[in-house]
Amino acid sequence: MEQTANLGAFLTGDGRYRLLVEAVTDYAIYMLDPNGIVASWNPGARRFKGYLPNEIIGQHFSRFYTEEDQKAGLPAKALATARLTGKFENEGWHVRKDGTQFWAAVVIDPIRSASGDIVGYVKITRDLTERKQAERMLKLSEEQFRLLVQGVTDYAIYMLDPEGNVTNWNLGAQRIKGYAPEEIIGRHFSQFYTDEDRAAGEPRRALETAKREGKFEKEGWRVRKGGTRFWAHVVIDPLRDETGTLLGFAKITKDITERREVQEKLDKTREALHQSQKMEAIGHLTGGIAHDFNNLLMVVLSSLELIRKRLPEDPKLTVLLDNAMQGAERGAVLTKRMLAFARRQELNTETIHIPELVRGMSEMLQRSLGQSISIETRFPLKLWPVIADPNQLEMALLNLTVNARDAMPEGGQIIIAAHEEALSPDNTNNMKPGRYIRLSVTDTGVGMDAATLKHATEPFFTTKGPGKGTGLGLPMVHGLAEQFGGRFELSSRIGEGTIAEIWLPAGDDTAKPEPVRSPARARERFYEPLVVLAVDDDPLILTNTVAMLEDLGHTAIAASSGRMALEFLRSADTVDLVVTDQVMPDMTGAELAKVIRANGQSFP
């Protein structure tokens, strides 16, 4: 009782301090006697803890502690610490009147008399529940974020210090780059860059850009632990504190190698489709022009032949006439190549044994190529035959070898080879499955760059000088290969020569090679003069056809359409033969022939 009276006297010593304490509501400020009994109670204490003064004064302060803390003797330890050290300070859970808990910061100071005796304690408590909750939520958020970052495996997410050294490492970084955390943390991030990029200062430039612009983003090659490369999308963001001081960088990397490869394949497919459509359009145009031009040349040639027969012998005129015919014949050769490119020429396919065909051409090839070119053939002992037109295949092979010779102005070697290839249904060549022979012509010439190679099979494209090439040789080979049911491939590099390869469908390997036939001598035959009906919608061709028939001693009748021919046949006494064009308006040559056969008895 004496101690409590002393504390009461202390409390009433200065009314101004009491007014100050009573005015505080954000802190619970109250007094304890030396045994821990509550001796005073301010409004802050009433607000925090829920007790009215008459409910708590005279009660022990331990009731503010949790049951666990009471069992652990924490209230007694708090007073003992304050008594011995002059202060007790702690944070922990405390209990309100209604049993709810709040997080409190507690300070207990001893109160001593003039003689130094303990007369009580002043206890100040602050409710920090909101701060504690905020800290807990922040910690939870940080933990969730850490777990999120660590759980990401599709992205490499890690941090760098201001100098670019790695400070942490997630599972995605470990999976993509191959380093375990202990292998990479503390090392400079530039080791993920290629030697070329490091030499060019790319890592330093990336960090400087991020600092200057607030972000760095780029795609490029990066290097894994094992030295393999991958195509990466990289983002670097600077990390700054509230004052703007640079703390480091956040770096996010994604491996997009597969996406890049898919895009490249898509681009190549689109390019191939575009090239195919372009070549198809050029083929249609070339074929149409070549067909019409071929008809005109036939008119010119036949007219020149008739003129030759009817002109008197004059050496000067004969030279001019021969020159004109040679020019027309060269034009005819060009049109044949254009038709081959457009795949519109008629083919007489048969089973061909490549070695036999090449042996039969050897003398002609050597004579065409000259002594500075050596020819080597490489064929397996057993080779499937091919299905092709032998004359056209010979012409294609001759074209390829002449091109190879022109690529070796100082001389060199040409290798003609063939080998078998079987394509499965899922082949990547976009060809029908089956057996093929790959006939190749390889030279040791100057080669072609990528730009030249890209256009090499386009008609009229040539790298030869004026008058040395038409630009139709390779397109002709390309068209023939397609028409045979195969394909034509060309590969070349500057200084490494060129390989031209024709894929040809294989035939029956039991087929025997065709015997080499010598040209049969033309036998003279004598014909009775005939009455011939010539049908053609082109007046130039029709006029020449009639003239040629008459030159041969026949009687020729002209009709400019199928219907005109039928009308004539109905009224004519005798017609021995009908010669007709195929492509005509209203009625084709085949349709005309069908009508004539169906109504043969109606015609005299």
Side-chain angles (χ1 to χ4, degrees):
M1 291 296 293
E2 183 181 351
Q3 290 175 334
T4 303
N6 292 335
L7 180 60
F10 177 83
L11 292 174
T12 56
D14 193 334
R16 290 175 298 176
Y17 289 113
R18 177 176 293 278
L19 290 175
L20 174 63
V21 171
E22 289 295 326
V24 173
T25 58
D26 289 335
Y27 289 83
I29 304 174
Y30 54 97
M31 308 294 291
L32 305 176
D33 69 12
N35 299 315
I37 302 300
V38 178
S40 69
W41 198 247
N42 81 324
R46 185 165 60 245
R47 186 172 71 86
F48 286 174
K49 308 205 177 195
Y51 292 96
L52 295 174
N54 60 329
E55 294 176 311
I56 195 62
I57 291 176
Q59 304 293 322
H60 198 273
F61 84 110
S62 61
R63 69 170 53 200
F64 306 139
Y65 286 76
T66 64
E67 186 176 345
E68 295 81 3
D69 286 348
Q70 290 179 29
K71 289 180 179 179
L74 187 57
K77 291 178 183 178
L79 296 184
T81 300
R83 184 173 61 254
L84 295 173
T85 65
K87 188 175 187 179
F88 172 81
E89 191 170 3
N90 191 24
E91 289 188 9
W93 291 107
H94 285 237
V95 182
R96 295 187 180 92
K97 176 184 175 181
D98 60 6
T100 59
Q101 295 184 0
F102 66 100
W103 188 261
V106 174
V107 177
I108 301 177
D109 289 294
I111 303 173
R112 298 181 183 274
S113 65
S115 62
D117 296 329
I118 293 289
V119 296
Y121 301 91
V122 59
K123 189 169 184 290
I124 302 174
T125 303
R126 188 176 182 188
D127 186 350
L128 299 180
T129 305
E130 290 185 3
R131 193 192 75 179
K132 179 67 175 177
Q133 185 70 13
E135 289 177 353
R136 190 179 71 83
M137 292 302 295
L138 178 60
K139 184 177 180 181
L140 178 62
S141 176
E142 289 175 347
E143 179 65 15
Q144 289 176 336
F145 185 74
R146 186 188 67 80
L147 292 174
L148 172 65
V149 170
Q150 286 298 324
V152 172
T153 58
D154 289 337
Y155 290 82
I157 305 174
Y158 54 98
M159 294 178 66
L160 309 174
D161 65 17
E163 285 72 43
N165 299 307
V166 178
T167 59
N168 58 35
W169 198 245
N170 81 325
L171 288 176
Q174 184 172 343
R175 185 184 70 83
I176 292 172
K177 307 207 178 194
Y179 293 95
E182 61 273 13
E183 296 176 305
I184 196 63
I185 291 176
R187 300 176 67 177
H188 200 270
F189 84 111
S190 60
Q191 71 182 74
F192 307 137
Y193 285 72
T194 64
D195 292 339
E196 302 92 324
D197 285 347
R198 280 200 299 270
E202 280 295 319
R204 175 182 51 78
R205 191 175 299 113
L207 296 185
E208 288 177 352
T209 302
K211 284 192 290 187
R212 183 179 63 254
E213 300 180 6
K215 185 177 185 180
F216 172 82
E217 186 170 5
K218 193 176 182 182
E219 290 184 8
W221 289 111
R222 293 294 183 270
V223 182
R224 295 187 177 92
K225 177 184 176 182
T228 58
R229 295 187 177 192
F230 66 100
W231 190 259
H233 176 260
V234 175
V235 178
I236 302 177
D237 291 292
L239 302 175
R240 301 181 184 276
D241 62 15
E242 60 274 6
T243 66
T245 302
L246 181 69
L247 302 178
F249 301 90
K251 191 168 185 292
I252 301 175
T253 303
K254 183 169 176 62
D255 182 352
I256 58 171
T257 308
E258 185 176 347
R259 188 185 78 184
R260 184 174 187 264
E261 290 173 351
V262 169
Q263 185 61 46
E264 286 180 345
K265 289 179 181 178
L266 180 61
D267 291 342
K268 288 180 180 178
T269 301
R270 286 174 177 167
E271 177 63 23
L273 177 61
H274 172 71
Q275 185 71 7
S276 174
Q277 290 172 337
K278 182 176 72 173
M279 296 300 285
E280 190 70 23
I282 293 174
H284 284 305
L285 177 63
T286 303
I289 293 173
H291 180 270
D292 292 341
F293 191 53
N294 193 55
N295 287 341
L296 295 174
L297 285 172
M298 292 305 102
V299 171
V300 172
L301 283 169
S302 59
S303 297
L304 290 172
E305 185 65 35
L306 291 173
I307 291 172
R308 178 196 290 274
K309 291 181 178 181
R310 297 177 184 181
L311 277 177
E313 289 294 331
D314 184 339
K316 292 183 179 180
L317 291 177
T318 301
V319 169
L320 293 174
L321 189 60
D322 288 344
N323 195 49
M325 291 190 70
Q326 288 177 11
E329 286 170 353
R330 286 176 62 181
V333 172
L334 288 179
T335 58
K336 286 181 180 179
R337 290 184 174 182
M338 292 169 69
L339 287 169
F341 168 73
R343 291 171 280 171
R344 293 195 180 185
Q345 63 179 352
E346 292 185 8
L347 297 177
N348 297 314
T349 59
E350 58 185 70
T351 301
I352 303 170
H353 288 258
I354 295 292
E356 294 292 333
L357 180 108
V358 175
R359 273 196 295 271
M361 295 177 64
S362 59
E363 184 178 347
M364 177 182 64
L365 288 174
Q366 194 63 68
R367 188 170 60 249
S368 301
L369 301 179
Q371 296 302 316
S372 64
I373 305 296
S374 66
I375 304 174
E376 180 182 340
T377 58
R378 297 178 183 176
F379 302 124
L381 293 176
K382 185 178 181 182
L383 185 69
W384 293 326
V386 299
I387 305 299
D389 183 318
N391 294 326
Q392 298 297 335
L393 186 55
E394 284 184 355
M395 183 171 66
L397 194 55
L398 181 60
N399 265 287
L400 294 179
T401 54
V402 169
N403 273 357
R405 177 204 65 189
D406 293 343
M408 299 182 291
E410 304 299 325
Q413 183 184 44
I414 294 176
I415 299 173
I416 302 175
H419 67 274
E420 301 169 351
E421 188 86 32
L423 294 183
S424 61
D426 58 347
N427 71 86
T428 58
N429 293 306
N430 297 321
M431 294 173 66
K432 290 182 179 179
R435 301 181 305 174
Y436 291 85
I437 299 298
R438 297 172 67 171
L439 175 62
S440 63
V441 175
T442 304
D443 65 58
T444 56
V446 295
M448 291 180 278
D449 59 25
T452 303
L453 186 64
K454 182 178 180 181
H455 299 286
T457 56
E458 294 180 2
F460 307 112
F461 177 84
T462 180
T463 57
K464 300 177 183 179
K468 295 183 178 180
T470 62
L472 286 171
L474 291 180
M476 181 272 291
V477 177
H478 172 82
L480 275 177
E482 296 279 337
Q483 201 168 0
F484 287 149
R487 65 184 294 172
F488 178 60
E489 291 182 348
L490 200 62
S491 59
S492 183
R493 297 180 71 173
I494 291 291
E496 298 182 12
T498 299
I499 302 174
E501 194 171 61
I502 306 174
W503 289 60
L504 298 166
D508 184 0
D509 58 1
T510 62
K512 302 295 183 183
E514 293 290 330
V516 179
R517 299 187 181 92
S518 58
R521 291 186 178 182
R523 290 177 293 177
E524 293 185 2
R525 294 186 180 181
F526 299 94
Y527 297 96
E528 295 286 337
L530 302 174
V531 177
V532 182
L533 175 60
V535 188
D536 201 306
D537 63 316
D538 189 321
L540 293 176
I541 297 175
L542 183 60
T543 299
N544 267 71
T545 303
V546 169
M548 292 178 68
L549 289 170
E550 289 176 346
D551 184 67
L552 293 171
H554 302 295
T555 301
I557 303 162
S560 60
S561 68
R563 299 196 181 280
M564 182 181 292
L566 291 176
E567 291 175 3
F568 180 82
L569 287 171
R570 290 191 183 97
S571 60
D573 293 332
T574 302
V575 172
D576 299 310
L577 181 67
V578 177
V579 179
T580 180
D581 185 24
Q582 165 61 12
V583 182
M584 297 183 294
D586 298 328
M587 181 180 290
T588 66
E591 291 171 343
L592 174 61
K594 185 176 181 181
V595 174
I596 292 173
R597 289 194 192 96
N599 300 279
Q601 299 301 322
S602 303
F603 302 135

